Amino acid sequence: MKLAVIATAATLLVATQASAIDLGNGMTVGGEVDMNYTTGTELWALEATPEVGLAMFGVDLTVGSTFDLMNLNGDDTFKGLDFSTEYAIGNTGLTGYGEVSTDSDFEFGDVKVGAKFAF
């Protein structure tokens, strides 16, 4: 079963490009599938991250979650929700952002607030 899931995910990764579907009125829905191998621990990982976004008044709000596809029958499939927001400050390449995550019981963790500069 795991081999079939890995093969399907690998085929989807090769055959498609990452892009969100525009639902209109600033709403988008999309996702990402990540398959990787860590050499130090010799572990394979296959995770799916669906995401819903809303852009309004220059603020981008997103809510997503990560699911462990290698352990679909296990207890750890749902890891919680990830909330993030970004605001571009003019055309300067400066962006303010905030992030917070919950665990699987919807208990919030630490809030991360910062600024990024892209050039």
Side-chain angles (χ1 to χ4, degrees):
M1 177 62 184
K2 288 182 182 179
L3 184 58
V5 171
I6 292 171
T8 303
T11 303
L12 289 173
L13 289 173
V14 172
T16 62
Q17 293 180 349
S19 63
I21 298 170
D22 186 6
L23 300 176
N25 296 324
M27 291 192 68
T28 58
V29 65
E32 163 179 290
V33 175
D34 178 18
M35 185 171 105
N36 60 67
Y37 177 75
T38 305
T39 58
T41 57
E42 298 183 1
L43 290 175
W44 282 95
L46 178 60
E47 297 177 331
T49 308
E51 189 173 84
V52 175
L54 175 65
M56 58 192 305
F57 307 114
V59 178
D60 295 327
L61 305 166
T62 58
V63 178
S65 184
T66 302
F67 295 93
D68 182 4
L69 297 179
M70 298 283 281
N71 190 23
L72 284 178
N73 296 328
D75 300 344
D76 255 4
T77 304
F78 177 69
K79 298 179 193 303
L81 295 173
D82 302 317
F83 297 89
S84 65
T85 183
E86 286 192 7
Y87 180 74
I89 301 168
N91 292 329
T92 61
L94 188 62
T95 303
Y97 69 92
E99 300 172 354
V100 65
S101 296
T102 70
D103 60 13
S104 59
D105 295 326
F106 298 105
E107 294 179 10
F108 285 89
D110 294 336
V111 175
K112 180 179 178 182
V113 179
K116 300 186 277 191
F117 181 69
F119 52 94

